[in-house]
Amino acid sequence: MKKLILLLLTSILLVANTCASGSTDSTLLTGSTTTTENTTGETMNITLTIGAKTFAATLSDNATTRALISKFPLTVDMSELNGNEYYAYLDISLPAASKNPRTIHAGDIKLYGANCLVIFYKSFSTSYSYTDLGAISDTAGLLDALKASGGKVTFSLAE
């Protein structure tokens, strides 16, 4: 009985520490999770449109980012969390290769778990693990844009 209660409490704590449930206004996506880190060393340029402001970003070329960009353009409604990030759960599980980066930098774009897309607007130390996707080139005005748009972000390939 004690083991069952301990397992239940552990499960509750794990759920409480993950991203809170979010929604997207994008087309329903389906998929499966695979753990891989197939990086070619190349990068891909993308654009994030947040309200009236556009941000250039660079993604690493790996299995996770290739799966993500196959769904572009992708519009998500992101929610603020912890005073340092905006997140949205996707309706697809992406290939994940989570590592603890030790330090998060403002502008980092990461995947938490296999389906939680995160944009960080502050730099800080972390004990959490993420799959690195890329980074926004210039974060000037990022938080203001996220707030003004209500967290609505469109990811698309750069032209």
Side-chain angles (χ1 to χ4, degrees):
M1 186 65 168
K2 287 182 182 180
K3 287 183 180 180
L4 180 62
I5 292 172
L6 182 59
L7 179 62
L8 181 60
L9 288 174
T10 302
S11 298
I12 290 171
L13 287 173
L14 285 173
V15 169
N17 283 326
T18 60
C19 298
S21 162
S23 65
T24 70
D25 67 342
S26 61
T27 305
L28 181 64
L29 309 172
T30 58
S32 62
T33 304
T34 308
T35 302
T36 184
E37 187 174 10
N38 182 14
T39 303
T40 65
E42 307 235 347
T43 59
M44 296 173 277
N45 295 322
I46 65 165
T47 301
L48 282 70
T49 304
I50 307 173
K53 191 145 171 119
T54 301
F55 295 87
T58 303
L59 297 183
S60 300
D61 183 11
N62 59 46
T64 308
T65 56
R66 286 190 297 273
L68 179 63
I69 67 168
S70 74
K71 305 304 178 189
F72 284 7
L74 175 68
T75 301
V76 293
D77 288 319
M78 303 187 90
S79 300
E80 200 285 329
L81 183 67
N82 297 326
N84 58 27
E85 69 187 71
Y86 272 73
Y87 73 92
Y89 275 103
L90 304 173
D91 293 326
I92 182 175
S93 292
L94 300 172
S98 297
K99 294 181 193 173
N100 178 319
R102 300 198 190 282
T103 302
I104 299 290
H105 301 282
D108 281 353
I109 304 169
K110 296 193 180 287
L111 183 69
Y112 182 77
N115 67 341
C116 188
L117 186 59
V118 186
I119 298 173
F120 293 94
Y121 61 84
K122 283 189 181 175
S123 298
F124 62 97
S125 297
T126 186
S127 60
Y128 290 96
S129 292
Y130 301 90
T131 299
D132 186 43
L133 301 178
I136 296 170
S137 305
D138 181 0
T139 60
L142 177 61
L143 178 57
D144 290 337
L146 286 164
K147 286 180 179 178
S149 74
K152 186 176 217 138
V153 179
T154 299
F155 294 81
S156 57
L157 289 173
E159 295 189 19

